[in-house]
Amino acid sequence: MRSRRIKINGRETVYHCISRTTGGDHLLDQRANEVLRRQIGRVSKFCGVQVLTYCLMSNHIHILIRVPVAQQMSDDELLRRCRALYVHSPHRVEAITRILAAGGRPAQRLRRQLENRMHELSAFMKELKQRFTLWYNREYCRFGTLWAERFKSVIVDADSLAIRAVAAYIDLNPLRAGLCREPSEYRFCGYAEALGGFEAAREGISFICRTTGWQAAQRSYRSTLFGIGALPKAAGSPAIDQAYVRRVIERGGRLPMEQLLQLRVRYFSDGMAIGNASFLDAIFAQFRKNFSSKRRSALKPMKGFDRLKIGSLRGLQINVFD
């Protein structure tokens, strides 16, 4: 049974979100992912969240998002967000503009309805997935659900190496699948978008690396992806032998983070929260009722990642590197 999702309210939080297509079918071709990529940008602007990086595959998606604390918005800001979302429906924006300008209870009611769709993890994912499903079913002549069950989410500590590890893990998805030699060659990921000059993507990488200026962020992030001085791998070949990694870890050995990140790491999808001890302690205290009364500490060690001084809130024992 899937563990209960936890969300932090009242303070800025970073989440790694994963959603799969129904049945795991490979439904997302290049055309679909191009539309989904644009919709992620529009919905994030409307909801007031920042997409730090992402990766769109043929049967699942990863999004690393920063959800800020909700702030009071002016009518101008509210309309700016509506224009970003309803770019193909100017009449919708005109109607919203008229209601807000008229004021009174209808304006207050409309404002509440719009604000309830902003600054919140589930609201962002619901808006994105519903809008894309409507487009996909119309364009591909199908009906019914597109996404399998509810999305997964893991809280990520933005003030530790956890955020760099999770971000790189996301951008390395196409490399793990043998689709490219490095993520810069794969169109539908945040790193490639940043290299292509998209300012929002560069701001996301800069936030992850805690740097100012794209050049410094690029150098720092590339070392996280590949290690200092590493060369890209040949297309279609695995970056490292999975059996070898398991043997090293089970024997208590250590491997560079960039090698571990080129495998499927369950901590990043099922760990509930990833971060340093104090970060996890605070979450554990807030959601104490979700855990066994016998449990005394928050941090669960992550095999292979001990040098990063991070752990997960949920302990995993089986198929950690799947």
Side-chain angles (χ1 to χ4, degrees), residues 269-301:
S269 59
D270 299 318
M272 194 175 292
I274 305 292
N276 62 30
S278 61
F279 178 82
L280 295 178
D281 284 343
I283 297 176
F284 182 67
Q286 182 175 348
F287 295 94
R288 185 67 183 84
K289 64 181 181 180
N290 290 16
F291 301 94
S292 167
S293 59
K294 297 180 180 180
R295 183 166 174 178
R296 294 293 177 263
S297 61
L299 187 146
K300 295 291 185 180

Side-chain angles (χ1 to χ4, degrees), residues 110-239:
L110 176 60
R111 172 178 280 276
R112 284 195 300 270
Q113 291 171 350
L114 292 171
E115 289 178 344
N116 285 339
R117 296 160 61 191
M118 299 175 181
H119 303 119
E120 208 274 329
L121 172 67
S122 296
F124 167 78
M125 292 298 292
K126 178 181 179 180
E127 191 82 37
L128 175 66
K129 292 168 68 174
Q130 285 185 348
R131 294 180 69 83
F132 181 72
T133 298
L134 289 172
W135 174 87
Y136 189 94
N137 284 353
R138 182 178 67 250
E139 294 296 319
Y140 287 77
C141 299
R142 69 183 299 276
F143 59 89
T145 184
L146 176 65
W147 304 101
E149 52 193 22
R150 63 191 182 105
F151 67 92
K152 289 184 177 183
S153 64
V154 176
I155 299 172
V156 182
D157 184 359
D159 295 319
S160 73
L161 287 174
I163 191 171
R164 292 173 68 115
V166 174
Y169 175 78
I170 291 170
D171 279 314
L172 287 168
N173 259 264
L175 186 145
R176 286 194 295 274
L179 300 177
C180 57
R181 292 170 296 178
E182 59 173 290
S184 62
E185 299 174 350
Y186 188 73
R187 176 171 177 78
F188 305 111
C189 72
Y191 181 61
E193 198 168 84
L195 290 178
F198 287 82
E199 190 60 33
R202 291 185 171 187
E203 290 174 357
I205 301 296
S206 296
F207 179 90
I208 291 164
C209 296
R210 288 295 195 264
T211 58
T212 56
W214 166 239
Q215 294 303 320
Q218 182 183 6
R219 288 193 300 269
S220 178
Y221 194 55
R222 186 169 179 83
S223 70
T224 304
L225 289 167
F226 295 110
I228 298 174
L231 296 174
K233 305 294 180 181
S237 64

